[in-house]
Amino acid sequence: MCYAIPGKVEKIEKNMVIVDYFGEKRKALNELSQISVGDYIYAQGGFVVSKISALEAESILAVWKETFFQLQEVDLRLSRLNLGDRNADKSLLEILDRASQSKELSRAELLYLLELKDQAKLELFFKTANFLRQKYHKNSCCVHGIIEISNYCIRGCLYCGISNHNKELQRYRMTKDEILQAAQEAVQVYGFKSLVLQSGEDPGYSIDELADIIKEIKNKFPTLIFISFGEIGIDGLEKLYQAGARGLLMRFESSNPKIYEDVHLGQSLESRLMHLKEAYKIGYLIITGGLIGIPGQSKEDILNDIFLAKELHAEMFSFGPFIPHPHTPFAAIMPAQHPPVRASAQVEEVVKVLAIARIIDHTQAKILVTTALETLSREAAKSGLLAGANSLMLNVTPLAYRPFYAIYPNRAHQSEDINVQIESTVSLLRSLGRAPTDLEVIL
Ligand code: SAM
């Protein structure tokens, strides 16, 4: 199983390579030595990940060739936009027409879209976001693997099932060998080219130990590595970058300092943002975003969240629903503050956020369908991918540990073998005409 298509190096300009995919040209940053014009490579997140022999590449490309063009046709068909419906609301059509031409929308217009409830209007809004996704990102969809290496956490986030409030949770910390074995399987057996290593904020691993693990994964199983260990300090970020990590997954959760500080006891939004800004300066690709539906959050807050993700140079937006967990302090206050919301209404709220994110950052950002969104409904991934999203994350944590990374209950794919996740992902992507290439398209 392969989650990226090999490309042929056409041109090398300093540390940039131009890669050809069946005639489509894309750019990637090269940190590997010994890459020459004519070589075949795998690339992820804008980085060359590994070189591959011509023999192997040509046999993979032969399988892909026909499919590649068929997928493009399916995607084009599904992302066609018709804003010519005379019966539709004129002011909505006018806003979406400008959005489809990549013109900037005002805050009031974005808030209007975020407030939409009418299904016909929502459909047009989501189609506009999907049109923009296709226009700027073609049919590429990136699929990262995530390994949740530990559920120990020293933080007391009021909503999170693995925070230190939860005394009922069985804790685990994978050993270095277990992490290496999970990475090896993900890369060598299942073909992932990009891995996220995630944990609670767990001082049980020193930065040097994490650096060692990252170095060894990079050396043995070439892959693009994202880290997601919480606030590890600037020194920690630098050391892990030196070790080979190239991405940081860290949500700011909420751009509203009052909400942030109310739900993250003893922590500050300033410190979280400082980590994100410094990581970007160091050179990390940034995946960030927030939680949708935290008590007290307004539509304005959500819009600010999307703008903040853009301001932080998110190469990928990660916005997902807040899902209450019974063993958290929030469980006690949620029923009183929040009457239960239907899952379908929650899905709709999150999909609106994905669509707004695509409108705000149509050219650059990848937009993730989160596991939390999939947890609300099995159809949600498809809805997100048809409303501007173009990224997925599959869980490659060993099955024995997965149920204990219980940030919220009944997580999607919690006990699903990776083969099953891959099969259903590939079939979903195929049905939507998406291909697993993952590089900036040269238009
Ligand atoms: N320690 C790392 C950090 O601080 O970013 C990563 C682990 S943290 C558990 C991963 C993400 O889980 C958080 O960014 C948060 O948005 C999400 N999360 C935690 N509890 C959640 C809940 N009840 N519903 C939805 N998402 C939740």
Side-chain angles (χ1 to χ4, degrees), residues 150 152-153 155 157-163 197-202 228-231 249-253 260 264 267 272 289-292 318 320-325 328 330 372 405-409:
S150 155
Y152 279 92
C153 191
R155 299 291 188 182
C157 311
L158 294 189
Y159 52 83
C160 181
I162 66 164
S163 84
L197 303 179
Q198 187 175 79
S199 68
E201 248 174 77
D202 179 8
S228 182
F229 306 134
E231 297 184 28
L249 163 54
M250 181 191 266
R251 284 178 171 174
F252 50 81
E253 315 294 357
Y260 186 91
H264 301 97
Q267 299 175 67
R272 194 85 172 164
L291 279 167
I292 311 297
S318 167
F322 158 62
I323 301 177
H325 188 297
T328 56
F330 252 20
Y405 201 81
I407 49 184
Y408 48 81

Side-chain angles (χ1 to χ4, degrees), residues 64-80:
W64 265 104
K65 191 168 183 178
E66 210 175 319
T67 316
F68 189 81
F69 293 108
Q70 282 166 356
L71 291 176
Q72 280 185 338
E73 273 174 37
V74 174
D75 181 41
L76 254 179
R77 181 164 45 76
L78 293 178
S79 54
R80 238 168 244 148

Side-chain angles (χ1 to χ4, degrees), residues 147-363:
I147 307 175
E148 293 147 347
I149 65 171
S150 155
N151 71 351
Y152 279 92
C153 191
I154 52 165
R155 299 291 188 182
C157 311
L158 294 189
Y159 52 83
C160 181
I162 66 164
S163 84
N164 63 13
H165 291 289
N166 190 354
K167 306 293 181 218
E168 299 187 31
L169 181 66
Q170 186 179 322
R171 303 282 170 170
Y172 73 89
R173 181 178 298 122
M174 288 169 67
T175 63
K176 177 178 174 182
D177 284 349
E178 287 175 316
I179 298 169
L180 288 175
Q181 195 187 333
Q184 186 228 329
E185 266 183 34
V187 175
Q188 294 186 338
V189 181
Y190 300 112
F192 285 90
K193 305 288 175 242
S194 171
L195 289 179
V196 179
L197 303 179
Q198 187 175 79
S199 68
E201 248 174 77
D202 179 8
Y205 300 109
S206 69
I207 290 294
D208 288 340
E209 282 169 324
L210 291 172
D212 253 15
I213 292 168
I214 289 167
K215 266 188 214 151
E216 209 160 323
I217 296 178
K218 286 288 282 188
N219 285 337
K220 292 188 170 159
F221 326 115
T223 180
L224 176 65
I225 298 179
F226 283 78
I227 53 166
S228 182
F229 306 134
E231 297 184 28
I232 57 170
I234 308 312
D235 202 38
L237 285 171
E238 264 161 8
K239 281 193 175 145
L240 298 191
Y241 189 87
Q242 291 309 324
R246 286 293 173 270
L248 172 72
L249 163 54
M250 181 191 266
R251 284 178 171 174
F252 50 81
E253 315 294 357
S254 168
S255 61
N256 179 328
K258 163 100 174 70
I259 295 182
Y260 186 91
E261 277 146 42
D262 281 354
V263 300
H264 301 97
L265 301 182
Q267 299 175 67
S268 74
L269 179 60
E270 204 184 334
S271 163
R272 194 85 172 164
L273 296 182
M274 187 270 291
H275 276 79
L276 283 159
K277 289 175 189 167
E278 290 299 319
Y280 180 72
K281 283 192 211 152
I282 293 170
Y284 280 97
L285 298 169
I286 303 293
I287 305 182
T288 192
L291 279 167
I292 311 297
I294 328 178
Q297 189 180 44
S298 67
K299 291 278 192 286
E300 278 84 357
D301 287 327
I302 294 175
L303 191 56
N304 290 339
D305 291 353
I306 307 169
F307 276 116
L308 179 57
K310 183 172 181 198
E311 198 183 310
L312 292 167
H313 310 277
E315 88 107 21
M316 189 186 287
F317 287 77
S318 167
F319 284 93
F322 158 62
I323 301 177
H325 188 297
H327 301 138
T328 56
F330 252 20
I333 56 168
M334 280 297 288
Q337 286 198 349
H338 265 219
V341 186
R342 274 179 304 115
S344 61
Q346 264 181 298
V347 171
E348 198 171 279
E349 284 310 303
V350 177
V351 174
K352 279 195 246 180
V353 172
L354 306 185
I356 294 280
R358 176 54 68 213
I359 285 175
I360 288 179
D361 197 347
H362 38 270
T363 55

